[in-house]
Amino acid sequence: MSDSLTRFPPTRTAALERLQAFVPKAGRDYAARRNYDLGRDGHDGVSTLSPYIRARLIPEEEVLAATLSRHSASAAEKFVQEVFWRTYWKGWLEMRPSVWTQYQGAVKRCLDEVQTQSGLRDRWEAACLGETDIDCFNAWAKELVETGYLHNHARMWFASIWIFTLRLPWKLGADFFLRHLLDGDPASNTLGWRWVAGIQTPGKTYLARTSNISKYTEGRFAPKWQLAGEAIALSGPQNPPLSPLPAADLPISSARTGLILHDEDMSPGFVLDAGISPVATACIVGRGGLSPLSLAPHVSDFALRALQDTEARFGARLGNVTWPESTVTELASWAQDAELDQIVTPYAPVGPVADVLGALARTPGMPPVRMIRRSFDDRAWPHATHGFFRFKEKIPGLLEQMRGLSIA
């Protein structure tokens, strides 16, 4: 097993054990130590739950409920907000899906330029291999490649250095992250890189500073005179106008049903508890669609093994289980062979799985594809209309609505 999967075992049991170990520290301890990056074996100040939350081996509401069973909302405010950042990014992108489409096209153009511009190719390769003149950047690049994880503060420093010091296209940096991060997803990754570059919030950039790096690595790194002294916002297309949140569906309990389980949501109890008994289940992993290049093996392996763990946990309720390729052709053949009246699936947010499911729903002869959205997302995503500050004001109300509700 790779170092990455040893550090992040891809099971719900491992996720719950990590959550249980972290919850006592989710209050003031987290607020005091969350910014400190002490190296790949020193991430005790943060939860390191993000790979599990991204796959929803443990959904956000379950993490929040466990935290608030031990701490008051005020004591755990910083950690609660951190959980909601991922929710906010997803809601923002759901209402502006063209940003993901634009990014995908831009990455392909940048990769074409890498093939034709030797200077760009050399700088890009050096950055990806951690072979620049900047020690801290090199350490973070290697940690990411080898473990599939990077402290959030280090991600910001890394992105800033990539863009403003190394002068590399931000799209290539975002792609590098998606190819290696266990928790990388289209929303938080793409929009986070856009924010550092000054595109997400026009004109607002993030500048990595030597003093900040030295303080929060406790002197491990101090890249004096090596970093850009300013971060001038990059140009980019204006944010598209807000579009309505896509409609979610409800299953018809009496129909002959097939279930599609995917790597965007590996806690399907909320779908199965809606009164359906699938006769067939298709399990698909869609992460290969995150990049035009090959993903690091640990990214695909984590998703595959976590989905296998999900099948094992819910197997008695899934009917006949198969593992087709995540293509429209394979899924259409599965649906026809099973003679389905409807297909149900946990809602897939903007990204590769949503693209496949959308194309499947538009395929002639297919039964209805019903994407079932969590009530947590239904309540939170509509508030992601502007910046996080406005969204943050809604968090107390969202927590109040969550109390006493099912989190399966």
Side-chain angles (χ1 to χ4, degrees), residues 118-258:
S118 59
L120 174 61
R121 181 172 64 251
D122 291 345
R123 292 187 294 117
W124 172 70
E125 289 178 346
C128 293
L129 293 171
E131 296 178 352
T132 72
D133 296 327
I134 305 171
D135 289 344
C136 58
F137 183 92
N138 295 342
W140 295 322
K142 291 174 182 177
E143 179 182 352
L144 173 58
V145 168
E146 293 166 9
T147 72
Y149 181 81
L150 208 57
H151 189 285
N152 185 60
H153 209 161
R155 297 184 198 200
M156 295 167 61
W157 292 324
F158 186 99
S160 181
I161 295 170
W162 180 288
I163 295 168
F164 301 114
T165 298
L166 301 178
R167 301 287 182 178
L168 287 165
W170 74 265
K171 283 80 69 173
L172 293 181
D175 177 71
F176 179 61
F177 270 20
L178 282 180
R179 287 187 286 117
H180 293 92
L181 280 173
L182 293 177
D183 62 20
D185 71 69
S188 59
N189 189 71
T190 308
L191 304 183
W193 274 84
R194 279 166 48 94
W195 179 80
V196 171
I199 298 170
Q200 182 68 19
T201 303
K204 183 176 179 60
T205 59
Y206 178 78
L207 178 65
R209 299 180 185 276
T210 299
S211 58
N212 190 261
I213 293 173
S214 178
K215 175 181 177 179
Y216 288 110
T217 64
E218 293 191 340
R220 285 193 307 128
F221 301 114
K224 195 172 183 180
W225 313 120
Q226 291 184 293
L227 307 184
E230 60 180 356
I232 299 174
L234 304 185
S235 61
Q238 289 186 339
N239 290 335
L242 199 68
S243 60
L245 190 67
D249 299 298
L250 293 174
I252 300 173
S253 58
S254 60
R256 182 175 174 85
T257 300

Side-chain angles (χ1 to χ4, degrees), residues 72-94:
S72 67
S74 58
E77 180 182 23
K78 290 297 183 182
F79 180 67
V80 168
Q81 288 180 7
E82 199 63 35
V83 174
F84 270 108
W85 262 107
R86 185 171 290 268
T87 304
Y88 164 76
W89 286 135
K90 284 187 179 293
W92 194 97
L93 192 59
E94 283 300 302

